[in-house]
């Protein structure tokens, strides 16, 4: 590993220590050229969560993409970026939990999670997101959702 001080490529490991949960190893290294000591971390590469789309194709879960969808829905609404971040964290946690064994989650499930969160947060944002997400087929469907909201 390259020495951060002199950029020499030759170093030796002087100590290796695993963390309590066993998920990472910390190594103390010493540069063979200048003697500078530095630390490196080794972790298992996480298997990415894949999203199964409606046409059955798969793509890696992309929290940025989800954020853009939510941003569009909350545009000009009294919703702070902090709130958006917190929703994203919640959804990411839940998605990882649901996809724990298979490393897969359906895009429909993700969409429902976003809608549940937006519904509780801001009804206008919810309707905006739902109308894009569900691609309302007809006016009745849209009217139905508005009616549902009126009854709250
Ligand atoms: Zn060095």
């Amino acid at each position: 590993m390259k020495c951060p001080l002199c950029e020499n490529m030759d170093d030796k490991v002087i100590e290796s220590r695993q963390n309590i949960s066993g998920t990472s190893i910390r190594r103390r290294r010493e540069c063979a050229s200048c003697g500078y000591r530095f630390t490196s971390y080794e972790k298992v590469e996480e298997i990415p969560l894949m999203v199964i789309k409606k046409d059955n194709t798969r793509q890696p879960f992309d929290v940025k993409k989800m954020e853009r969808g939510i941003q569009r829905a909350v545009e000009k609404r009294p919703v702070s970026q902090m709130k958006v971040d917190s929703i994203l964290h919640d959804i990411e946690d839940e998605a990882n939990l649901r996809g724990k064994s298979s490393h897969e989650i359906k895009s429909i499930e993700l969409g429902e999670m976003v809608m549940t969160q937006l519904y509780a947060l801001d009804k206008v944002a919810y309707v905006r997101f739902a109308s894009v997400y569900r691609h309302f087929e007809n006016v009745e469907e849209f009217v139905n959702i508005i009616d549902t909201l009126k009854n709250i």
Side-chain angles (χ1 to χ4, degrees), residues 46 64 91 118:
E46 284 178 33
K64 282 280 155 209
I91 293 171
L118 289 180

Side-chain angles (χ1 to χ4, degrees), residues 135-147:
H135 306 289
F136 289 137
E137 298 282 323
N138 49 46
V139 180
E140 287 96 283
E141 213 182 330
F142 191 73
V143 171
N144 281 343
I145 205 165
I146 300 292
D147 281 347

Side-chain angles (χ1 to χ4, degrees), residues 53-149:
K53 296 175 55 172
K54 280 175 190 159
D55 61 3
N56 262 325
T57 58
R58 285 155 168 78
Q59 56 176 230
F61 175 66
D62 182 359
V63 77
K64 282 280 155 209
K65 198 172 153 189
M66 181 171 278
E67 184 176 7
R68 285 194 292 274
I70 294 174
Q71 293 285 15
R72 271 197 298 274
V74 302
E75 203 178 26
K76 292 183 183 144
R77 296 297 303 160
V79 175
S80 67
Q81 179 60 36
M82 234 170 77
K83 199 66 216 177
V84 171
D85 284 344
S86 133
I87 286 179
L88 286 167
H89 274 124
D90 285 355
I91 293 171
E92 203 175 4
D93 283 352
E94 201 181 335
N96 279 315
L97 204 67
R98 288 201 203 178
K100 209 176 176 181
S101 51
S102 62
H103 300 288
E104 286 182 336
I105 190 159
K106 290 195 174 85
S107 63
I108 294 169
E109 280 184 80
L110 287 174
E112 296 295 333
M113 285 186 218
V114 176
M115 282 191 275
T116 306
Q117 293 274 356
L118 289 180
Y119 189 84
L121 180 71
D122 185 275
K123 300 294 185 276
V124 172
Y126 165 74
V127 173
R128 282 182 187 162
F129 187 87
S131 64
V132 173
Y133 182 76
R134 288 195 173 138
H135 306 289
F136 289 137
E137 298 282 323
N138 49 46
V139 180
E140 287 96 283
E141 213 182 330
F142 191 73
V143 171
N144 281 343
I145 205 165
I146 300 292
D147 281 347
T148 320
L149 292 173

Side-chain angles (χ1 to χ4, degrees), residues 2-11 30-38:
K2 189 160 83 176
C3 170
L5 204 65
C6 73
E7 302 197 336
N8 182 290
M9 290 300 290
D10 192 18
D11 73 319
E30 191 179 273
C31 173
S33 169
C34 73
Y36 182 72
R37 289 187 174 186
F38 55 102

